[in-house]
């Protein structure tokens, strides 16, 4: 992102979070803005996280503040170093920079422990010996108040001693917890003596076996914010009910700063699952080829598919920030991808389902280099040479032996334009023993070189093509939505809603030569087909291309219908 672009964005953007920040800064309630993006390293980031990243890093950029990348690594059981590295790569790829501000909640374990003792000494926390089942039972329900644990009023010294022995590893998992002493009758369940520490004899990816007690999210999160001097702790709406606890802890601890929490609605995308549990399942049970499978809504998957980070930022900007829960059409993301790639992607020709064409009156062995425009939307992109020869491939779909009225492409006796080349006329159809069309015999008109007839005659169809001899062979992977249902799982098992046709592999496609050297991830438009990019699976002799999006603009159509 250029700096001028971000200045324009800052002046234009307005939403309730930005308004709060603007007012806080104007009223001097905060000296500077500090935000954070706090992923738990228990999976890969997805397009929903992009909303939080763009918001937290975005406001920091716009208001001259800073945004921390903080790993909320308080649950050793599900967390892995692989995820930490992947998350860092994804945030950077999305275009954001945490600078020197990379943090881990696990770096604060000692401080958090001290603050837990502080609460015990103040009579505001106690060690509870109830079993997890009893704790749940005593907690009450939304309509009934909870009951005090029989251990709630044990002495400060006893709790301190037990808490230290919890840390020392004297007790098994689940045998005791540390709880805040707030109010078992509170209408807010989060205030019914929430658990602050639990015993977990587990290897932590960063602290190893240094600890066998771990702080809960509620305890670690706000206090980590305070340690880092976060001013605006922006999170999703499911934490709204946790805010009173967030504030209670900040008020009752000698923390160096008083961050405030604000909640916004998470991104929900149609035909997509964004629950990490579900995404992990798709990978582990091999419904997809990995976290970066181009059908996955992960940032790694979108990157591999060829979605540019700027298109994701644009999409998130259009979605906006509010407190109203909403479901965004997957087609809108595709629209943003198309909008951007239309301006930036080089045009190339590739034939996905080849049909051989022999130009009978074209000299054997002759190859001509014809000029082809790289991007009609961008004159600066210039042009390239495309070889033309006697034997070509066209798209199987572009020929019909017995065409209906509105079919304007190739048919027996009909003349069409081969893009950037010549007019050709189909003279004969060659079939195999099974009656399938295997070859077309055509003639060309040498006077139409470049694609226009000097006598002014018109043709209705323009086809893309490649010269057979010089065409690299490629595998092309076409992706369709991973789920058929708008809300996967809404009617039953989410796995039943998987689209069995989400991946179609075309093994024998032909490319124009310029595509043989396409860089992995670089977007190109295959004329008339869509946007594609080279996949890392491709080897030198056999490139592999992913379809990023088709050309058809379903979102535009939906908008036009006024939906
Ligand atoms: P879980 O807690 O179930 O593992 P999570 O999606 O909440 O999953 P976190 O790593 O805790 O994952 O999320 C990091 C940040 O990203 C949080 O602040 C969270 O609110 C935000 N976030 C997660 N999913 C979305 C979403 N769909 N839309 C917007 N923000 C999201
Ligand atoms: Mg979470």
């Amino acid at each position: 992102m250029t700096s001028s672009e971000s200045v324009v964005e800052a002046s234009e953007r307005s939403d309730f979070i930005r308004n709060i920040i603007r007012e806080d800064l104007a009223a001097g309630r905060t000296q500077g803005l500090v935000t954070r993006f706090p992923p738990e390293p228990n999976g890969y980031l997805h397009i929903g996280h992009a909303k939080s990243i763009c918001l937290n890093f975005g406001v920091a950029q716009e208001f001259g503040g800073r945004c921390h990348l903080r790993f909320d690594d308080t649950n050793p059981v599900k967390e892995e170093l692989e995820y930490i590295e992947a998350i860092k790569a994804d945030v950077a790829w999305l275009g954001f920079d945490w600078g020197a501000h990379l943090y881990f909640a696990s770096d604060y374990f000692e401080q958090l422990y001290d603050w837990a003792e502080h609460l015990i000494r103040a009579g505001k926390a106690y060690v509870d010996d109830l079993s997890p089942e009893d704790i749940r039972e005593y907690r009450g329900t939304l309509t009934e108040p909870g009951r005090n644990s029989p251990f709630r009023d044990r002495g400060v010294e006893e709790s301190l001693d037990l808490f230290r022995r919890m840390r020392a590893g004297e007790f098994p998992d689940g045998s005791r917890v540390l709880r805040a002493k707030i109010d078992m009758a509170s209408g807010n369940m989060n205030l019914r003596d929430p658990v602050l520490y639990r015993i977990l004899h587990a290897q932590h990816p960063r602290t190893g076996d240094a600890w066998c007690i771990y702080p809960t999210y509620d305890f670690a999160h706000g206090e980590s914010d305070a340690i880092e001097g976060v001013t605006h702790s922006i999170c999703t709406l499911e934490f709204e009910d946790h805010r009173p606890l967030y504030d209670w802890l900040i008020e009752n601890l000698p923390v160096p700063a008083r961050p405030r929490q604000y909640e916004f609605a998470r991104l929900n995308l149609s035909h997509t699952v964004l629950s990490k549990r579900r995404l992990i399942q798709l990978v582990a049970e091999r419904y997809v080829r990995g976290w970066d499978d181009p059908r996955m809504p992960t940032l790694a998957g979108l990157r591999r598919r060829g979605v540019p980070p700027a298109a994701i930022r644009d999409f998130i900007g259009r979605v906006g920030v509010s407190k109203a829960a909403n479901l965004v059409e997957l087609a809108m993301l595709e629209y943003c991808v198309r909008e951007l790639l239309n301006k930036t992607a080089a045009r190339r020709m590739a034939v996905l389902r080849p049909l051989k064409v022999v130009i009978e009156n074209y000299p054997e062995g002759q190859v001509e280099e014809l000029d082809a425009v790289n991007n009609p939307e961008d004159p600066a992109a210039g042009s390239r040479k495309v070889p033309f020869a006697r034997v070509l491939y066209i798209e199987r779909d572009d020929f019909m032996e017995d065409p209906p009225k509105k079919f304007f492409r190739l048919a027996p006796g009909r003349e069409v334009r081969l893009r950037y080349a010549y007019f050709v006329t189909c003279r004969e159809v060659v079939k195999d023993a099974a009656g399938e069309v295997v070859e077309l015999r055509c003639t060309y008109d040498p006077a139409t070189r470049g694609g226009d007839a000097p006598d002014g005659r018109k043709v209705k169809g323009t086809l893309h093509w490649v010269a057979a001899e010089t065409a690299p062979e490629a595998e092309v992977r076409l992706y369709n939505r991973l789920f058929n249902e708008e809300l996967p799982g809404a009617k039953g098992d989410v796995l039943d809603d998987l689209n069995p046709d989400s991946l179609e592999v075309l093994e024998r496609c032909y490319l124009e030569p310029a595509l043989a050297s396409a860089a992995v991830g670089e977007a190109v438009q295959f004329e008339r087909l869509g946007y594609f990019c080279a996949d890392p699976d491709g080897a030198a002799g056999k490139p592999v291309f992913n379809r990023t999006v088709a050309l058809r603009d379903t979102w535009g159509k939906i908008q036009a219908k006024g939906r």
Side-chain angles (χ1 to χ4, degrees), residues 199-276:
I199 302 172
L200 271 176
H201 290 269
Q203 198 69 18
H204 185 283
R206 297 188 77 250
T207 59
D209 56 10
W211 294 87
C212 61
I213 56 171
Y214 290 93
T216 54
Y217 171 88
D218 281 323
F219 186 56
H221 195 82
E223 284 35 72
S224 299
D225 285 343
I227 290 169
E228 293 174 17
V230 166
T231 57
H232 294 70
S233 181
I234 305 168
C235 62
T236 36
L237 274 175
E238 69 272 23
F239 295 105
E240 194 167 26
D241 288 347
H242 295 239
R243 186 172 1 113
L245 174 56
Y246 186 104
D247 292 340
W248 185 91
L249 288 164
I250 295 288
E251 275 155 30
N252 285 285
L253 287 169
V255 288
R258 308 193 121 234
R260 298 199 48 141
Q261 177 182 302
Y262 300 92
E263 310 87 14
F264 67 98
R266 58 171 51 223
L267 173 71
N268 298 306
L269 201 55
S270 76
H271 305 94
T272 306
V273 296
L274 293 180
S275 139
K276 266 191 221 160

Side-chain angles (χ1 to χ4, degrees), residues 359 361-363 366 368 388 422-425 442-446 448:
I359 311 291
N361 59 339
Y362 195 86
Q366 178 173 312
E368 266 177 284
F388 184 86
Y422 295 99
F423 285 12
V424 296
T425 305
C442 297
T443 54
Y444 85 119
D445 176 357
T448 57

Side-chain angles (χ1 to χ4, degrees), residues 156-171:
V156 165
E157 286 312 317
E158 190 185 356
S159 271
L160 256 187
D161 174 60
L162 286 170
F163 188 52
R164 287 171 183 168
R165 288 164 61 196
M166 277 167 64
R167 176 180 183 168
E170 286 188 31
F171 310 119

